[in-house]
Amino acid sequence: MPDAFHDKHLLIRAARGEPVDRAPVWAMRQAGRWDPEFRKVRAGMSFFEFSENVEASTRASLCPRRFGVDAIILFYDITTLPVAMGLPFELKPGAGPVPDRPVRTLGDLDRLQPNPAPETYAHIRQLLNRVKDELRGDLPVLVFAGAPFTVATYCIGTGKDVGATRAFIAEAPAVWNGLLERLTGATVGFLRTLIGDGADAYQLFDSWAGALSPAEYDAWAQPQHSEILAGATGVPRILFVKEGPYLERMCATGADVISLGSVHDLAAARRDYPHLVFQGNVDEEILRGGTPEQVADAVRACRRAGGGARHILNLNHGVDKDTPVANFEAYVRAAKAPADV
């Protein structure tokens, strides 16, 4: 279970809503291709070869430490869980993760293990232990899982094409609903295992659910978020829906921390939901295309909106592969500067 180091971690205290001297800072996809040190570690390996190599993924996960971030998030992919359930994937350029055999029938669904044994994702458990050993309690370690809607779209082979996903659901509703149910239960087990192994917090990612209608969201996203967050407890739980339009629904899931996009007003969210902690919401486009000074300005504006309490500084989504290192340095530096600078 989580250890005694928790009390000294700025991010964990902030995620619990406890008083902190400043908002902690990290970034989604902070370990990624934008960082030349990360690219050196990967050095020609395919994505899944890289992510399943515990030594390499440990070094990759730790790359952002040199910038001064307040947390390390492990480097792996949201398809780790369906792979453990028995569905291999290949990462194809321009297409993202592509299943070896898309789930299309009830027979395909039955081949997925609903409760994969922890041994089937042993490399993630080893990665967590290695990173914790390397950090020696200096920083908290975050783990994550893909939410069922987004993971299911990859399992059926549609990915971010929401129109194709809708068409599949109309043709095979029993397969779809069974897939969501199976992924929800497996995700709870996966996160419980990593919490038991010492993860300090987790983030549930639903990358494509923001494109759903309210009725679709209420059927395919909200219930699954709530079930997972209620089933995997004991550490701070962060919910991320990329540019999610349904803030009220997100805030009703039971998550401790709600990650905001550029479409959200951070100050208004804090006012309307004072019992919650919010994460975000510097626009990653500024990091990718702005100057260091513009990045610093955006961070300072975000800090003002965050009010210095119940706020974790992050982006609206992941660091883009074309982000200059100088901009990421400016992002962290501005986040940690005295409030009046």
Side-chain angles (χ1 to χ4, degrees):
M1 290 300 294
D3 56 35
F5 286 126
H6 269 198
D7 291 342
K8 78 176 188 178
H9 291 322
L10 181 69
L11 184 138
I12 301 303
R13 296 201 311 273
R16 290 173 172 168
E18 298 171 6
V20 291
D21 295 334
R22 63 168 175 84
V25 58
W26 69 284
M28 290 174 275
R29 216 182 296 135
Q30 64 184 19
R33 290 175 289 168
W34 66 273
D35 182 359
E37 291 301 315
F38 176 95
R39 295 197 298 270
K40 287 180 186 176
V41 174
R42 182 167 176 174
M45 284 185 273
S46 70
F47 178 83
F48 285 108
E49 178 187 5
F50 181 33
S51 62
E52 292 173 8
N53 181 315
V54 175
E55 173 63 29
S57 55
T58 296
R59 292 168 58 202
S61 300
L62 291 169
C63 279
R65 175 172 52 169
R66 73 188 195 281
F67 296 108
V69 294
D70 290 311
I72 293 297
I73 187 166
L74 297 187
F75 178 81
Y76 55 93
D77 191 70
I78 62 170
T79 57
T80 294
L81 185 56
V83 169
M85 296 169 73
L87 181 62
F89 276 80
E90 179 184 356
L91 192 69
K92 293 187 177 180
V98 176
D100 181 61
R101 180 174 179 175
V103 175
R104 289 278 158 176
T105 67
L106 290 173
D108 295 333
L109 182 62
D110 287 342
R111 280 189 284 272
L112 294 185
Q113 169 55 248
N115 298 297
E119 292 74 23
T120 60
Y121 47 89
H123 62 292
I124 304 298
R125 304 182 70 195
Q126 293 164 12
L127 170 62
L128 173 58
N129 290 329
R130 285 286 303 277
V131 170
K132 285 180 69 70
D133 286 347
E134 290 283 340
L135 290 171
R136 299 182 181 181
D138 287 342
L139 292 173
V141 180
L142 311 184
V143 298
F144 65 90
F149 175 78
T150 292
V151 177
T153 68
Y154 287 114
C155 291
I156 66 174
T158 57
K160 66 177 72 175
D161 186 342
V162 178
T165 299
R166 289 188 178 109
F168 172 83
I169 296 168
E171 294 171 3
V175 177
W176 174 257
N177 290 325
L179 179 58
L180 288 182
E181 181 179 359
R182 198 161 289 213
L183 287 170
T184 299
T187 303
V188 170
F190 176 72
L191 290 170
R192 280 180 174 172
T193 297
L194 297 181
I195 292 168
D197 286 343
D200 295 293
Y202 70 80
Q203 180 156 301
L204 185 64
F205 283 84
D206 216 341
S207 299
W208 311 132
L212 298 176
S213 71
E216 291 168 341
Y217 193 92
D218 287 344
W220 307 332
Q222 178 82 355
Q224 293 77 18
H225 297 165
S226 298
E227 185 173 342
I228 291 166
L229 293 163
T233 61
V235 297
R237 301 156 297 168
I238 307 169
L239 176 63
F240 169 81
V241 179
K242 184 176 178 181
E243 299 296 355
Y246 308 119
L247 182 59
E248 183 178 357
R249 289 169 169 84
M250 294 171 67
C251 291
T253 56
D256 304 293
V257 183
I258 303 297
S259 195
L260 301 179
S262 60
V263 299
H264 300 114
D265 183 327
L266 171 58
R270 292 181 58 251
R271 181 194 65 229
D272 295 343
Y273 303 95
H275 63 292
L276 291 176
V277 177
F278 289 95
Q279 177 176 271
N281 57 343
V282 176
D283 194 334
E284 63 82 22
E285 290 185 5
I286 295 173
L287 262 72
R288 182 179 71 240
T291 64
E293 292 76 18
Q294 289 170 325
V295 170
D297 287 343
V299 171
R300 283 190 286 267
C302 186
R303 289 179 65 180
R304 287 192 295 271
R310 307 185 77 87
H311 178 219
I312 296 169
L313 207 144
N314 208 311
L315 306 178
N316 59 326
H317 52 91
V319 182
D320 186 84
K321 64 181 177 60
D322 295 322
T323 297
V325 171
N327 282 2
F328 192 83
E329 291 172 337
Y331 166 74
V332 177
R333 185 167 58 246
K336 300 178 80 169
D340 58 350
V341 174

